[in-house]
Amino acid sequence: MSQTTVTMYGAAATVGMLGDTGFTDKMSYSAEGTVGFGVPVQLGTNKERQVKVLTTSVGQAALAVGVSVASMVVEQASNGTVVYADKDTVPVLKKGRIWVTTDDAVVAGAVANLKLSSGLFTDEAVGAGIEAFTQFNARFLTATSGSALALVEIK
């Protein structure tokens, strides 16, 4: 696909982009199905080698092992989406800072939880449809005024 526009300034961040050059802990897995950038992932059928996206069923946040990291070598589809294809290598962030999409407005410093209906990050309190991650801790480092990109620290 050829480039049709040019902008003078790029976006400050993109979903799945690492937040800085500080310490990170990443592991590589094979994608089981398609996996988007900057989304929480769980272990796949082969627990040692695969990851897949979470579903919208109850208990998903407890299965999340990290967040998929963006790659500059994945080709954009004609519809504008960029995802890891089935069997592609997916880097998964287990510790560090990463840009993610929020479901709604969030406050810097708040705990990041999972909104089951969207599979996105939120700072809403744990309750019906909102679950806390249990295999890692996540906290927002930046705020948003609606559904947007926010920097999250995974510990």
Side-chain angles (χ1 to χ4, degrees), residues 18 20 22-29 67-70 90-96 98:
L18 293 177
D20 56 29
F23 172 77
T24 61
D25 181 9
K26 297 184 291 287
M27 286 189 67
S28 295
Y29 295 91
V67 179
S68 60
V69 178
V90 180
V92 176
L93 184 73
K94 295 180 175 273
K95 286 187 182 190
I98 189 166

Side-chain angles (χ1 to χ4, degrees), residues 10 73 76 85 107 113 115:
V73 299
Q76 180 175 333
V107 176
N113 293 315
K115 187 158 193 176

Side-chain angles (χ1 to χ4, degrees), residues 115-135:
K115 187 158 193 176
L116 291 177
S117 61
S118 64
L120 299 175
F121 291 83
T122 183
D123 65 353
E124 292 180 49
V126 172
I130 310 293
E131 294 183 349
F133 295 106
T134 58
Q135 295 192 46

